[in-house]
Amino acid sequence: MRGHFLIGVLWLLFLTPLFVNAASDANQNPSVMNLSQSNITNDMCALFPGPVQTWQGSAGKFEGSHKLNITGTAIINSNHYIGFNTVKNTSGSNSHVNDFCEGKSCQPIGENKNLYAEKIKLDLWPQVDDGNLSKQRDFGNKKIFWFNTINLSNKNIVFPSGSVVHVKKMTLNNSSLSSESKKADDLLIFVHDLKPSQDILHEWVDLNAGTQVTALIYSERNLFMSNGNNTKVTRVTGAVTAPNLVMTGKKNKLRTEIIGQSTCFEAQPEYQLAMTPTVATSTLCEPQKIEFLVSKVGASNSDFKGDISFSISSATGGKWARNVELNNPQTFGVGSSDFVLTNSDSRSAIWLQPNGAETVTVTASIADMAGDKPVGIYSFIPGGFSVTPNNNNIIAGQPFSITVKAVACANQPNLNDAVITQYSGVKQLEFDTRYLAPSQGQYHVGAVRGDNELSSLKVNFTNGISDAIRMRYRDAGSVNLVVKDKTCTSDYCELITTKTNQLKVTDLPQGLVGEVSLHSRPWTFAICPQAGDSFIGTTNSGNGLVAAGDAFVMRAKPLQWQVGDSSDEAVVIDVSNDKYCQRPITPNFFAQDVPVATVTASVVGIDTPQKGHQGKLTGKVAQSNIELHDNTAMIFNDLRWSEVGSVNLGLKSSAYLGMDINPSWRAVGRFYPKQFVIKNSSITNAHTESTPPFTYMDQSFEVDFTVEAQNAAGDPTRNYGAFGSTLKENLQLTAVDLNQNRQLNDISMRLDQSNLSTGWQHQWQQAQLTIKDGELAFTRRLQPNNKLATTTTTADGPFKIGLGLSVIPRIDCSALGCTDFANKTQPLQRYNQPLMLTAPLKGELYSRYGRMVLDDVNGVFDQPLTMPLKVEYWNGDQFIINADDSRSYFDSQYSCKQIIYPLIPPTSFAELKPLNDNVLKGKNNALQALPNLINNEYLKQQVRFWIRIADKAPADIGCSENNKQYQPWLTFNWRGVGDEDPSGLVTFGSYRGNDRIIYRSETAVINP
């Protein structure tokens, strides 16, 4: 129909003045239609011949972008047409390709001129209007409105049914306009363009941000629909006539829509319903599946969401459910029963089973359905096998047994399951597998013959009951074992043709068939490394796996049971042997529609070291079989063990189809420390009396440090101390010249570590290696090409030295795994080698090349002479007094002397005064040489004294005095014979009386 009486009366009420005005202007504007009261309904419907259009004679166009939809369009030869000359897709490269009309392309009007709307001249605007509409008003009984603007934001406006709204400008954001009846025909909106020139179209009508309008809109202005950032769809329910129409959507999401709704045009029914199958015959042993298929008229796919009503006509009653197992069924009685499938989509199904053998009729429908109601006729007859396993829960690969009975209706205790006793003798049975979860597979359930599963077997029956049949299924999941006797089919059945007064052939269309549900689980899990990895490393041998705390990969492979395997589900299986990783698996454990089981990894013990710290297993320790896998194994790629060594890793699963899978375990290793960290450290110089403190070269100083082996989280790895020595890292102390002007700063070769305990690098206590009061020395530089028997050094320095710890590099890190220090911030540059970094100890060593000096003295023959003693160091240019030294010492009792004059010395000669003392700020003036006075006679004497500080006495002077004040760091190469004790020349009798008088022999004495 083109119109209804109601809409004609309604529009007659408010359009009378409009029509009169239009008639008076008809001669002046022939493009404006001429309306009379006799053809009101048809003429007004001419304004809205379809859901979207412009008027005849307009060059209007429709533009759309991205996801939008228009329903109720005219369908001509399977094409969807709208009333615009131009249809343009502004979101793609091809502007004429679109899917805007119910998923199909919207076609321009072309030759279908009847899709144009007629153009009318709207009435003049009254002198007094209703102002602006911005919120809901009390409209009373009024039904004709003249609004200057309608500007709504987040508002809902409801007009009386039958209202006519005139407006100049209209903008709606997230708002709604409708009549009380919520029908589009009960609200008409005219949008006026009152600009001087009627040929120029001005501002837009904007419907935005989820706005909902239920009305018929005739607009002299262009109309624009968009969504903005709102999640709701901007929608017009009714029809739109405008010069130009623009709809913008979102990519891949519907955001603007026009739903055609009016009695002025008849939209095609949206959906049609079918049932499949429509005719079927089955036994009472299994429910009949009935599918309801909802398709969208004119569309390739359907987005149906709604209710499907159906009735069941039965003579015996029965039950139906939405699942094949008939869980939570609904019952239907004798006669006709009505039901509704709520929340259905385009493909829904029920399973139907009556209480007795009969024919059941099912009739279905949906609201506003196109076409006739589909009808299905389903016949149910008895017949089949009852199959009983010794256990419905089986282990993949492990044999089980079944017994088969020929019954009137198989596996239905509430129906007639009487055994057909005439079914006796040897029968050829066939075995099929119906996969349930998952829905397909590569293995089948078959009769056991050696290592094969037979799909056919001759079985002896006695009074309808078979001998026990040994079966096997090698996969996991839920399946139905289907047992058939193909000698009894709809074409031929030995049972029926050889007996009388039995079932007709047509009563057994499938033959004798029976099914039984089996739930099969994997036997256990193999614990396998990923390709390239090894799990056999221990604290004493084998390759490394990963650093403690870093993620490692474990592959869990569900295994089939084999002969010799335990079948006790409580037994934990040791799968340490790599052969388990090569065994057959249950591939259906990973299929898409499998029963879900969660497999959890845990630490079940320590492999090595014995009685080691167990640590913690973190990361993703549990995951289901539908998560990460490669169809052969579950992949745990984020397991982290906090300790080092090798761990006994266990796997267990939650109930799989109501069964526990045998837990398994395997030793996995080797884990090694992620990093070394210096927990605390200090450097104590030998001389702490000054600031900064200092140490002479070759003089001992102390270091303290504690190194901790840690995991990736920075926690100690206590098992590291139990590693074999060949698998522990070799640490080395390094010495770095901190003078930035020296590019080659590695002076580690001058670091004397001989006083540290042998093998200190391996003396770990659990996670820590500690050096307490470690004695080191920074050695003097040896004179090159020295051929002297005594060590000879060359002065250099002074040095500011940083000490550090490094790991000696290895070439087998990729296999064994290596650990290094975490904070290597101290650069170390060696000659012709790349820059290295070392982990610094706290503090610095200030090293100086030092020497002890005795000055030569002379004086009268009978008075003691003071021998100045001082300590000097090399400042880089020369030796200067070390004013920072107030600790170096000497003892004159441990000294040597060399008599120079007279050549034949007396039995008694000059001596040093016994004195044990220290220097103060590098000097000491307390040491005296005492002359030898014989009867107070004048005696000329000249002697060289050595203060013993070296480990060996001076060469070639015959000194045998042992050194008990060992300070070799203050020796010096005084005479060119090597580093030796300091010495000074003492001369007694250089003059007597007047100092200005030189006596005979004095010159010779002074200069021997």
Side-chain angles (χ1 to χ4, degrees), residues 242 301 380 432 438 519 568 711 725 859 904:
N301 54 15
F380 294 86
D432 288 338
H519 302 314
D568 185 349
N711 59 26
S725 59
I904 302 176

Side-chain angles (χ1 to χ4, degrees), residues 963-1007:
N963 174 25
K964 294 185 180 179
Q965 297 294 333
Y966 184 66
Q967 298 176 94
W969 50 86
L970 294 178
T971 60
F972 188 67
N973 185 15
W974 298 102
R975 300 183 296 155
V977 295
D979 294 354
E980 61 181 4
D981 297 322
S983 66
L985 185 66
V986 179
T987 304
F988 294 100
S990 296
Y991 63 88
R992 57 187 177 84
N994 195 322
D995 291 341
R996 291 174 294 178
I997 300 174
I998 300 175
Y999 294 88
R1000 186 179 60 186
S1001 299
E1002 287 184 344
T1003 302
V1005 171
I1006 296 172
N1007 299 297

